């Protein structure tokens, strides 16, 4: 069940149909770019949470 938490960022990264949009823009960047940039720390946080839970 804990592995499902790790699947979320992986599935979001490999499904460009989810984030293949231009709008909304953030600081002039299309959604496509800033979503991928936001996905990096979100993935790191997910892996960190999973690592802490697995250590218990």
């Amino acid at each position: 069940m804990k592995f499902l938490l790790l699947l979320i960022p992986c599935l979001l990264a490999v499904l460009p149909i989810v984030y293949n949009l231009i709008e909304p823009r953030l600081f002039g960047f299309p959604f496509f770019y800033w979503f991928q940039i936001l996905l990096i720390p979100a993935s790191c946080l997910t892996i960190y949470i999973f690592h802490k839970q697995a250590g218990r």
Side-chain angles (χ1 to χ4, degrees):
M1 186 67 175
K2 293 179 185 178
F3 291 109
L4 292 177
L5 185 62
L6 290 174
L7 281 177
I8 294 170
C10 293
L11 288 176
L12 285 175
V14 299
L15 293 173
I17 196 166
V18 174
Y19 57 90
N20 191 13
L21 304 168
I22 294 175
E23 298 293 333
R25 291 181 178 265
L26 182 66
F27 303 116
F29 291 101
F31 181 76
F32 180 79
Y33 292 114
W34 65 262
F35 179 78
Q36 290 178 354
I37 292 170
L38 185 65
L39 195 59
I40 294 168
S43 299
C44 292
L45 181 64
T46 305
I47 292 169
Y48 175 76
I49 291 170
F50 179 78
H51 177 70
K52 286 297 186 183
Q53 292 294 324
R56 291 184 182 176

